[in-house]
Amino acid sequence: MLLYRSAVWFAKGLREYTKSGYESASKDFIPDDLEVQVPGRAFMVTGGNSGIGRATAFEIAKRGGTVHLVCRDQNRAEGARGEIIRESGNQNIFLHIVDLSDPKTVWKFVENFKQEHTLNVLINNAGCMVNKRELTEDGLEKNFATNTLGVYVLTTALIPVLEKEHDPRVVTVSSGGMLVQKLSTDDLQSERTAFDGTMVYAQNKRQQVVLTERWARAHPAIHFSCMHPGWVDTPEPSTALDTKKVLRSFLCWTELRSGRPKLPAGVFEDGSPIFSPKK
C-alpha cells in the first residue's frame, strides 16, 4: 500500500507541485485579491523568522497588518523582526518566543496573549522534520509534539479569541507529502516500527488536515483551510518552482484576499476536499 501511495504521490507531484503545476493553477488566481490593505487586522505567524513564515509576515506587514511572530529562537527572531520593520515601514510587529513542542508553554502563551491582544488570522506555519527519534522533556516524540500537538493546542486555545473578530481565519501549512500516509492513530509516538522521519512528518501533515476538517465542522464562524506551499528551501526544488510567486499566490492569497473566502471551510486551497481519514 505504501508503494502504491508513493507512486500516486509522485505522479501527482510531477503534475501539480512543480513550476508547471503552479503555472496551471495560477490561471484561476485573481491578482486583484492581493491588492488590499489590512490595517486593523491582526495576524499570528508561527515560524515567522525565516522561509515561508518570514515571507508571509513581510507581505502582511507591508499591507499594514499587525503581525505577531511566534518563534523558538530569540536571536534569529529578533533579527527577522528588525528586518521586517525596516523593509515594510510597519512598526506593529510583535515577537513571542514559544516552543511549540511544549504544550504547557503554548497554553500559557495563549492565556497571556488573549489578555492583551486580538487576532483575526492564525497561520500555522512552523514545523520540524527530525530524522532520528527524539523525545521532548514531556516524553513526547519531537515531530508529533511540534507538528501535531503544538498546532492542536495553539489553534484550540485561540479559537475563542478568533471567534470574537470579523472574518476570522486559520490557515495551516500542510504538505502534499501527506498523501503517502493514511491516518493512523494507534502509534502517535512512532514507537512500534522502525523510525522514518520523512514518513512521521507525512503522518503529522495528514493529522493536520484531518484536524482542520474537524475544526471547520465544529466552528463554522471561522474559515479553516490547509495548503501545500510547493517545493521550497532546497536548491533543486527552487529551480523547479517559482517560490516567490507561490508564497504570494497561495499562502498570502489565502489570508489576505478581501471578503469571505469563496471556497468552503475544510478544503485544500486548490478546492479539493480534505481526504477522508479512511483513505
Side-chain angles (χ1 to χ4, degrees):
M1 180 60 73
L2 179 58
L3 180 61
Y4 170 77
R5 285 179 173 275
S6 297
V8 171
W9 177 80
F10 182 75
K12 184 178 178 67
L14 287 178
R15 185 176 66 254
E16 299 180 10
Y17 300 156
T18 57
K19 185 175 181 179
S20 61
Y22 161 75
E23 291 173 344
S24 176
S26 67
K27 296 175 182 178
D28 295 325
F29 296 166
I30 302 175
D32 288 346
D33 281 349
L34 288 179
E35 297 304 318
V36 296
Q37 295 298 311
V38 289
R41 284 180 67 79
F43 301 74
M44 181 180 292
V45 185
T46 66
N49 60 285
S50 64
I52 296 173
R54 187 200 178 286
T56 300
F58 171 69
E59 291 293 333
I60 295 168
K62 76 178 186 180
R63 290 170 171 79
T66 295
V67 180
H68 294 275
L69 302 173
V70 175
C71 308
R72 185 178 59 179
D73 187 309
Q74 184 155 0
N75 290 334
R76 292 176 60 195
E78 288 178 348
R81 176 179 180 270
E83 291 173 357
I84 292 171
I85 290 174
R86 287 193 300 273
E87 294 172 12
S88 69
N90 185 342
Q91 297 293 320
N92 294 319
I93 313 297
F94 298 90
L95 178 59
H96 311 274
I97 304 303
V98 183
D99 183 353
L100 291 178
S101 71
D102 184 342
K104 295 188 295 293
T105 298
V106 175
W107 190 267
K108 183 177 180 180
F109 158 65
V110 175
E111 288 299 300
N112 292 330
F113 179 89
K114 67 184 182 182
Q115 300 300 321
E116 302 178 11
H117 304 285
T118 61
L119 187 66
N120 298 90
V121 180
L122 168 63
I123 302 163
N124 288 313
N125 165 74
C128 69
M129 185 190 295
V130 180
N131 289 315
K132 292 184 179 180
R133 191 171 187 274
E134 297 180 13
L135 301 181
T136 67
E137 292 183 359
D138 293 323
L140 299 168
E141 192 277 316
K142 189 69 171 290
N143 291 294
F144 172 78
T146 304
N147 300 330
T148 302
L149 185 58
V151 169
Y152 173 78
V153 174
L154 181 65
T155 304
T156 300
L158 284 171
I159 282 174
V161 182
L162 289 160
E163 287 180 326
K164 294 178 181 179
E165 304 304 319
H166 172 68
D167 189 18
R169 307 180 191 185
V170 175
V171 183
T172 298
V173 181
S174 183
S175 170
M178 71 100 184
L179 295 173
V180 303
Q181 289 279 302
K182 67 177 181 179
L183 181 66
S184 174
T185 59
D186 59 0
D187 189 21
L188 296 177
Q189 297 302 308
S190 306
E191 299 172 299
R192 301 182 183 180
T193 59
F195 190 84
D196 183 331
T198 302
M199 290 299 103
V200 171
Y201 179 82
Q203 177 65 211
N204 295 161
K205 292 303 176 179
R206 168 71 70 175
Q207 292 161 357
Q208 287 179 352
V209 296
V210 172
L211 284 172
T212 296
E213 187 176 43
R214 298 295 190 269
W215 282 322
R217 291 173 179 171
H219 306 280
I222 302 174
H223 191 279
F224 291 87
S225 55
C226 285
M227 50 83 66
H228 170 75
W231 304 109
V232 295
D233 284 344
T234 55
E236 292 82 8
S238 294
T239 60
L241 190 68
D242 191 330
T243 304
K244 292 182 180 179
K245 287 185 178 179
V246 169
L247 293 175
R248 289 197 298 269
S249 299
F250 279 109
L251 184 50
C252 296
W253 175 70
T254 304
E255 69 253 2
L256 286 173
R257 55 188 169 174
S258 60
R260 185 73 173 173
K262 298 180 179 65
L263 293 173
V267 300
F268 281 112
E269 280 304 323
D270 64 358
S272 62
I274 290 175
F275 287 80
S276 165
K278 296 180 180 179
K279 292 186 179 180

PDB file of all heavy atoms in Angstrom, residues 21-38:
ATOM      1  N   GLY A  21       2.900  23.025 -12.625  1.00  0.00           N
ATOM      2  CA  GLY A  21       1.677  22.925 -11.843  1.00  0.00           C
ATOM      3  C   GLY A  21       1.246  24.267 -11.309  1.00  0.00           C
ATOM      4  O   GLY A  21       0.055  24.612 -11.319  1.00  0.00           O
ATOM      5  N   TYR A  22       2.223  25.050 -10.841  1.00  0.00           N
ATOM      6  CA  TYR A  22       1.908  26.409 -10.379  1.00  0.00           C
ATOM      7  C   TYR A  22       1.324  27.246 -11.514  1.00  0.00           C
ATOM      8  O   TYR A  22       0.319  27.944 -11.352  1.00  0.00           O
ATOM      9  CB  TYR A  22       3.164  27.086  -9.823  1.00  0.00           C
ATOM     10  CG  TYR A  22       3.012  28.584  -9.782  1.00  0.00           C
ATOM     11  CD1 TYR A  22       2.219  29.197  -8.810  1.00  0.00           C
ATOM     12  CD2 TYR A  22       3.602  29.385 -10.755  1.00  0.00           C
ATOM     13  CE1 TYR A  22       2.034  30.558  -8.805  1.00  0.00           C
ATOM     14  CE2 TYR A  22       3.418  30.745 -10.761  1.00  0.00           C
ATOM     15  CZ  TYR A  22       2.644  31.340  -9.780  1.00  0.00           C
ATOM     16  OH  TYR A  22       2.454  32.684  -9.775  1.00  0.00           O
ATOM     17  N   GLU A  23       1.969  27.172 -12.683  1.00  0.00           N
ATOM     18  CA  GLU A  23       1.511  27.982 -13.805  1.00  0.00           C
ATOM     19  C   GLU A  23       0.092  27.610 -14.214  1.00  0.00           C
ATOM     20  O   GLU A  23      -0.705  28.472 -14.595  1.00  0.00           O
ATOM     21  CB  GLU A  23       2.471  27.823 -14.976  1.00  0.00           C
ATOM     22  CG  GLU A  23       3.841  28.454 -14.711  1.00  0.00           C
ATOM     23  CD  GLU A  23       4.855  28.156 -15.795  1.00  0.00           C
ATOM     24  OE1 GLU A  23       4.593  27.218 -16.596  1.00  0.00           O
ATOM     25  OE2 GLU A  23       5.900  28.838 -15.843  1.00  0.00           O
ATOM     26  N   SER A  24      -0.243  26.313 -14.132  1.00  0.00           N
ATOM     27  CA  SER A  24      -1.593  25.878 -14.467  1.00  0.00           C
ATOM     28  C   SER A  24      -2.602  26.389 -13.444  1.00  0.00           C
ATOM     29  O   SER A  24      -3.653  26.936 -13.799  1.00  0.00           O
ATOM     30  CB  SER A  24      -1.637  24.350 -14.531  1.00  0.00           C
ATOM     31  OG  SER A  24      -2.958  23.895 -14.760  1.00  0.00           O
ATOM     32  N   ALA A  25      -2.272  26.239 -12.161  1.00  0.00           N
ATOM     33  CA  ALA A  25      -3.196  26.674 -11.108  1.00  0.00           C
ATOM     34  C   ALA A  25      -3.347  28.186 -11.080  1.00  0.00           C
ATOM     35  O   ALA A  25      -4.427  28.707 -10.769  1.00  0.00           O
ATOM     36  CB  ALA A  25      -2.707  26.173  -9.751  1.00  0.00           C
ATOM     37  N   SER A  26      -2.276  28.901 -11.417  1.00  0.00           N
ATOM     38  CA  SER A  26      -2.309  30.363 -11.325  1.00  0.00           C
ATOM     39  C   SER A  26      -3.296  30.990 -12.307  1.00  0.00           C
ATOM     40  O   SER A  26      -3.670  32.152 -12.150  1.00  0.00           O
ATOM     41  CB  SER A  26      -0.912  30.929 -11.559  1.00  0.00           C
ATOM     42  OG  SER A  26      -0.491  30.720 -12.894  1.00  0.00           O
ATOM     43  N   LYS A  27      -3.723  30.232 -13.306  1.00  0.00           N
ATOM     44  CA  LYS A  27      -4.711  30.766 -14.243  1.00  0.00           C
ATOM     45  C   LYS A  27      -6.033  31.077 -13.553  1.00  0.00           C
ATOM     46  O   LYS A  27      -6.832  31.874 -14.051  1.00  0.00           O
ATOM     47  CB  LYS A  27      -4.932  29.771 -15.385  1.00  0.00           C
ATOM     48  CG  LYS A  27      -3.699  29.537 -16.246  1.00  0.00           C
ATOM     49  CD  LYS A  27      -3.943  28.462 -17.290  1.00  0.00           C
ATOM     50  CE  LYS A  27      -2.690  28.195 -18.118  1.00  0.00           C
ATOM     51  NZ  LYS A  27      -2.906  27.108 -19.120  1.00  0.00           N
ATOM     52  N   ASP A  28      -6.275  30.414 -12.407  1.00  0.00           N
ATOM     53  CA  ASP A  28      -7.514  30.644 -11.677  1.00  0.00           C
ATOM     54  C   ASP A  28      -7.364  31.713 -10.602  1.00  0.00           C
ATOM     55  O   ASP A  28      -8.330  32.043  -9.917  1.00  0.00           O
ATOM     56  CB  ASP A  28      -7.991  29.338 -11.015  1.00  0.00           C
ATOM     57  CG  ASP A  28      -8.373  28.286 -12.041  1.00  0.00           C
ATOM     58  OD1 ASP A  28      -8.895  28.677 -13.097  1.00  0.00           O
ATOM     59  OD2 ASP A  28      -8.146  27.090 -11.777  1.00  0.00           O
ATOM     60  N   PHE A  29      -6.144  32.245 -10.417  1.00  0.00           N
ATOM     61  CA  PHE A  29      -5.943  33.270  -9.398  1.00  0.00           C
ATOM     62  C   PHE A  29      -6.453  34.617  -9.907  1.00  0.00           C
ATOM     63  O   PHE A  29      -6.426  34.910 -11.104  1.00  0.00           O
ATOM     64  CB  PHE A  29      -4.462  33.420  -9.050  1.00  0.00           C
ATOM     65  CG  PHE A  29      -3.850  32.190  -8.433  1.00  0.00           C
ATOM     66  CD1 PHE A  29      -2.477  32.074  -8.333  1.00  0.00           C
ATOM     67  CD2 PHE A  29      -4.635  31.167  -7.943  1.00  0.00           C
ATOM     68  CE1 PHE A  29      -1.893  30.951  -7.778  1.00  0.00           C
ATOM     69  CE2 PHE A  29      -4.072  30.040  -7.384  1.00  0.00           C
ATOM     70  CZ  PHE A  29      -2.691  29.934  -7.298  1.00  0.00           C
ATOM     71  N   ILE A  30      -6.882  35.434  -8.984  1.00  0.00           N
ATOM     72  CA  ILE A  30      -7.299  36.794  -9.310  1.00  0.00           C
ATOM     73  C   ILE A  30      -6.299  37.739  -8.650  1.00  0.00           C
ATOM     74  O   ILE A  30      -6.335  37.940  -7.433  1.00  0.00           O
ATOM     75  CB  ILE A  30      -8.728  37.079  -8.800  1.00  0.00           C
ATOM     76  CG1 ILE A  30      -9.704  36.067  -9.398  1.00  0.00           C
ATOM     77  CG2 ILE A  30      -9.147  38.511  -9.148  1.00  0.00           C
ATOM     78  CD1 ILE A  30     -11.115  36.192  -8.854  1.00  0.00           C
ATOM     79  N   PRO A  31      -5.371  38.314  -9.411  1.00  0.00           N
ATOM     80  CA  PRO A  31      -4.314  39.149  -8.823  1.00  0.00           C
ATOM     81  C   PRO A  31      -4.841  40.266  -7.930  1.00  0.00           C
ATOM     82  O   PRO A  31      -4.223  40.611  -6.926  1.00  0.00           O
ATOM     83  CB  PRO A  31      -3.589  39.709 -10.052  1.00  0.00           C
ATOM     84  CG  PRO A  31      -3.824  38.690 -11.114  1.00  0.00           C
ATOM     85  CD  PRO A  31      -5.222  38.188 -10.874  1.00  0.00           C
ATOM     86  N   ASP A  32      -5.995  40.811  -8.284  1.00  0.00           N
ATOM     87  CA  ASP A  32      -6.538  41.920  -7.500  1.00  0.00           C
ATOM     88  C   ASP A  32      -6.900  41.509  -6.076  1.00  0.00           C
ATOM     89  O   ASP A  32      -7.059  42.358  -5.202  1.00  0.00           O
ATOM     90  CB  ASP A  32      -7.782  42.500  -8.188  1.00  0.00           C
ATOM     91  CG  ASP A  32      -7.425  43.283  -9.452  1.00  0.00           C
ATOM     92  OD1 ASP A  32      -6.221  43.584  -9.633  1.00  0.00           O
ATOM     93  OD2 ASP A  32      -8.334  43.581 -10.243  1.00  0.00           O
ATOM     94  N   ASP A  33      -7.044  40.189  -5.842  1.00  0.00           N
ATOM     95  CA  ASP A  33      -7.347  39.729  -4.485  1.00  0.00           C
ATOM     96  C   ASP A  33      -6.254  40.130  -3.499  1.00  0.00           C
ATOM     97  O   ASP A  33      -6.500  40.253  -2.296  1.00  0.00           O
ATOM     98  CB  ASP A  33      -7.503  38.208  -4.452  1.00  0.00           C
ATOM     99  CG  ASP A  33      -8.869  37.745  -4.953  1.00  0.00           C
ATOM    100  OD1 ASP A  33      -9.749  38.609  -5.127  1.00  0.00           O
ATOM    101  OD2 ASP A  33      -9.044  36.537  -5.170  1.00  0.00           O
ATOM    102  N   LEU A  34      -5.029  40.298  -3.991  1.00  0.00           N
ATOM    103  CA  LEU A  34      -3.913  40.666  -3.119  1.00  0.00           C
ATOM    104  C   LEU A  34      -3.684  42.169  -3.059  1.00  0.00           C
ATOM    105  O   LEU A  34      -2.858  42.633  -2.271  1.00  0.00           O
ATOM    106  CB  LEU A  34      -2.629  39.984  -3.587  1.00  0.00           C
ATOM    107  CG  LEU A  34      -2.561  38.480  -3.347  1.00  0.00           C
ATOM    108  CD1 LEU A  34      -1.250  37.920  -3.888  1.00  0.00           C
ATOM    109  CD2 LEU A  34      -2.681  38.165  -1.871  1.00  0.00           C
ATOM    110  N   GLU A  35      -4.422  42.912  -3.879  1.00  0.00           N
ATOM    111  CA  GLU A  35      -4.278  44.365  -3.853  1.00  0.00           C
ATOM    112  C   GLU A  35      -5.166  44.934  -2.751  1.00  0.00           C
ATOM    113  O   GLU A  35      -6.129  45.649  -3.005  1.00  0.00           O
ATOM    114  CB  GLU A  35      -4.635  44.951  -5.222  1.00  0.00           C
ATOM    115  CG  GLU A  35      -3.726  44.489  -6.339  1.00  0.00           C
ATOM    116  CD  GLU A  35      -2.261  44.795  -6.050  1.00  0.00           C
ATOM    117  OE1 GLU A  35      -1.982  45.910  -5.556  1.00  0.00           O
ATOM    118  OE2 GLU A  35      -1.412  43.920  -6.294  1.00  0.00           O
ATOM    119  N   VAL A  36      -4.820  44.599  -1.522  1.00  0.00           N
ATOM    120  CA  VAL A  36      -5.611  45.037  -0.370  1.00  0.00           C
ATOM    121  C   VAL A  36      -4.690  45.616   0.690  1.00  0.00           C
ATOM    122  O   VAL A  36      -3.490  45.341   0.717  1.00  0.00           O
ATOM    123  CB  VAL A  36      -6.409  43.860   0.245  1.00  0.00           C
ATOM    124  CG1 VAL A  36      -7.418  43.323  -0.738  1.00  0.00           C
ATOM    125  CG2 VAL A  36      -5.466  42.754   0.717  1.00  0.00           C
ATOM    126  N   GLN A  37      -5.272  46.416   1.544  1.00  0.00           N
ATOM    127  CA  GLN A  37      -4.591  46.907   2.735  1.00  0.00           C
ATOM    128  C   GLN A  37      -5.331  46.343   3.940  1.00  0.00           C
ATOM    129  O   GLN A  37      -6.562  46.243   3.919  1.00  0.00           O
ATOM    130  CB  GLN A  37      -4.579  48.437   2.772  1.00  0.00           C
ATOM    131  CG  GLN A  37      -3.764  49.076   1.656  1.00  0.00           C
ATOM    132  CD  GLN A  37      -2.294  48.695   1.726  1.00  0.00           C
ATOM    133  OE1 GLN A  37      -1.661  48.776   2.789  1.00  0.00           O
ATOM    134  NE2 GLN A  37      -1.735  48.274   0.600  1.00  0.00           N
ATOM    135  N   VAL A  38      -4.596  45.956   4.971  1.00  0.00           N
ATOM    136  CA  VAL A  38      -5.237  45.276   6.096  1.00  0.00           C
ATOM    137  C   VAL A  38      -4.923  45.925   7.445  1.00  0.00           C
ATOM    138  O   VAL A  38      -4.722  45.232   8.440  1.00  0.00           O
ATOM    139  CB  VAL A  38      -4.854  43.778   6.121  1.00  0.00           C
ATOM    140  CG1 VAL A  38      -5.519  43.038   4.981  1.00  0.00           C
ATOM    141  CG2 VAL A  38      -3.332  43.592   6.073  1.00  0.00           C
TER     142      VAL A  38
END
